[in-house]
Amino acid sequence: MDTCRAPANASKCSGNTMECFMVLSTQAQKISIGILCGLFGTMCLFENSLVLYLIFSSPGIRKKPSYLFIGSLALADILASIIFVCSFVNFHVFNEAGFSKEVFLLQLGGVNTSFSASLSSLLLTALDRYISISRPSEYKLLMTRKRAWTALAVLWLTCATIACLPLLGWNCCVLDSVCSELFPFVDDNYQSGWVCFVMVLLGCIVYAYAHVLWRARQHVAYMEKHQAQVGKQNTRMRMDVMLAKTLVMVLAVLMLCWSPVLVLMIYSIFARLSDHLRKVFAFCSTLCLLNSMVNPIIYALRSKELFSSLRRVFSHFRRQLKVTEEIPEAESTHKSSVIET
């Protein structure tokens, strides 16, 4: 078992072993975590897979950079649900600690990559709306599909690189430094850096959304003033206002779900965490899955294009089901007529 310098509050543990971080002490707590992860993870996987299917099965939707960014967000949430649920339940519920330090840091890197990519995709979506509203006449020239794919490639590469730094050597075992109180083998300075990275992402998102909302209010006032004018410009403005409201709802859910985790991570940097707070952190971590589960619901309710595509899919499925039910009836009628003949 890999050991290194223990966290400040690990007085009951011998070294920085993974058993020190298995904070769920009762069977009820483990069952609760298992149920939450199973429910949120399953719904998150199903809903985000449906969003990806709706985007990439519709040629008109997948050509738009806005929905490429939303597709990236859905993909990140799918990966987060799979990697997070498997590693989190295996660690906290089944108390599996037989794997090596490298394997644990690889799992943690996967979780950090997916959640970081989720936040970064939301930032790109906010910037896309920012450009669309602030420079509508130049939007198609500035936001091309090639630039969108390039931005997504840089996004995922950056998130993966930052998330894999502990695996590449920035951990408290290699550096013989103070370990985090929340994650095994993670250097306390790395945790501080990752929190800063997330806070910068959130700050940029809030700034972009604030500008989007300000311009959206101007568009609403303009439309109310020129209600008699009906044209493409007003239609485009209504779309921008609708999408701006949708993204603000996504941001509100994001802040509500991520705030408890970030607050506890920041608090652990400056003060010692009691066993009770570490248990609270374990339960609050499942809120990140809740965020990933709620996002597709907001898209389906607020995006007319995705909702229309969803209705087409269900209509097609119902027609296929109806045809499948009619075929046995036709065969039965044919057989009975043959017998009578």
Side-chain angles (χ1 to χ4, degrees):
M1 182 70 64
D2 295 285
T3 59
C4 33
R5 189 178 300 182
N9 69 335
S11 57
K12 298 180 181 179
C13 300
S14 176
N16 187 33
T17 59
M18 283 190 279
E19 286 81 0
C20 301
F21 298 87
M22 296 175 180
V23 294
L24 303 183
S25 55
T26 66
Q27 197 67 20
Q29 293 172 354
K30 295 179 181 180
I31 293 175
S32 300
I33 284 287
I35 292 175
L36 289 175
C37 288
L39 177 62
F40 294 162
T42 302
M43 293 297 296
C44 176
L45 181 61
F46 171 75
E47 293 170 0
N48 284 286
S49 298
L50 181 60
V51 169
L52 277 182
Y53 175 78
L54 293 177
I55 291 175
F56 290 100
S57 64
S58 305
I61 294 179
R62 68 169 177 260
K63 290 180 181 179
K64 298 181 179 181
S66 302
Y67 289 101
L68 289 179
F69 299 146
I70 292 176
S72 174
L73 177 60
L75 177 61
D77 288 336
I78 288 174
L79 294 177
S81 65
I82 296 173
I83 302 173
F84 177 83
V85 170
C86 292
S87 59
F88 197 77
V89 171
N90 192 42
F91 186 81
H92 283 291
V93 177
F94 298 108
N95 297 139
E96 180 60 45
F99 38 81
S100 63
K101 175 190 70 178
E102 289 74 19
V103 173
F104 178 84
L105 291 178
L106 180 62
Q107 293 177 350
L108 184 63
V111 173
N112 286 345
T113 298
S114 52
F115 280 133
S116 299
S118 178
L119 292 175
S120 300
S121 298
L122 191 57
L123 174 60
L124 287 182
T125 308
L127 293 177
D128 174 74
R129 289 299 91 201
Y130 178 91
I131 297 173
S132 175
I133 285 186
S134 62
R135 306 174 71 175
S137 60
E138 304 174 30
Y139 174 76
K140 290 186 177 181
L141 294 176
L142 294 174
M143 190 58 68
T144 61
R145 292 190 70 211
K146 182 178 180 180
R147 289 181 177 178
W149 282 111
T150 302
L152 288 175
V154 172
L155 176 159
W156 281 91
L157 182 61
T158 302
C159 292
T161 302
I162 293 175
C164 289
L165 287 177
L167 183 63
L168 298 176
W170 191 356
N171 58 74
C172 55
C173 296
V174 173
L175 301 177
D176 193 26
S177 56
V178 177
C179 295
S180 166
E181 295 186 356
L182 296 172
F183 307 101
F185 313 121
V186 173
D187 180 73
D188 207 35
N189 291 326
Y190 172 80
Q191 179 180 313
S192 303
W194 192 82
V195 170
C196 291
F197 173 65
V198 172
M199 296 300 291
V200 169
L201 289 178
L202 291 176
C204 293
I205 293 171
V206 170
Y207 174 81
Y209 281 151
H211 187 83
V212 167
L213 280 180
W214 176 64
R215 294 302 297 266
R217 290 189 63 183
Q218 288 184 329
H219 286 178
V220 170
Y222 176 85
M223 286 187 291
E224 290 176 349
K225 208 172 189 179
H226 303 80
Q227 287 182 353
Q229 298 180 4
V230 179
K232 291 185 177 180
Q233 186 177 9
N234 277 4
T235 303
R236 177 59 183 273
M237 287 181 179
R238 291 189 185 94
M239 290 174 60
D240 287 339
V241 171
M242 186 72 173
L243 193 49
K245 291 179 180 179
T246 300
L247 297 180
V248 168
M249 290 175 63
V250 173
L251 179 60
V253 173
L254 178 77
M255 296 300 293
L256 289 174
C257 292
W258 275 84
S259 293
V261 171
L262 291 176
V263 167
L264 286 174
M265 291 180 69
I266 294 173
Y267 181 77
S268 70
I269 295 172
F270 301 102
R272 296 182 180 182
L273 290 179
S274 64
D275 290 341
H276 175 70
L277 284 179
R278 296 170 77 190
K279 290 178 183 179
V280 171
F281 178 80
F283 278 93
C284 288
S285 298
T286 61
L287 291 177
C288 301
L289 272 182
L290 177 63
N291 171 66
S292 299
M293 184 189 75
V294 171
N295 283 342
I297 299 176
I298 298 177
Y299 302 147
L301 292 176
R302 303 291 298 181
S303 173
K304 290 184 178 180
E305 291 177 296
L306 281 180
F307 188 72
S308 298
S309 180
L310 180 61
R311 290 181 62 183
R312 286 195 299 269
V313 169
F314 277 122
S315 298
H316 177 73
F317 177 75
R318 288 176 63 184
R319 287 196 301 268
Q320 291 292 110
L321 188 62
K322 190 175 181 180
V323 170
T324 305
E325 291 176 351
E326 289 176 351
I327 289 177
E329 294 179 1
E331 290 179 352
S332 176
T333 304
H334 175 72
K335 287 180 180 179
S336 61
S337 63
V338 170
I339 292 172
E340 289 176 0
T341 304

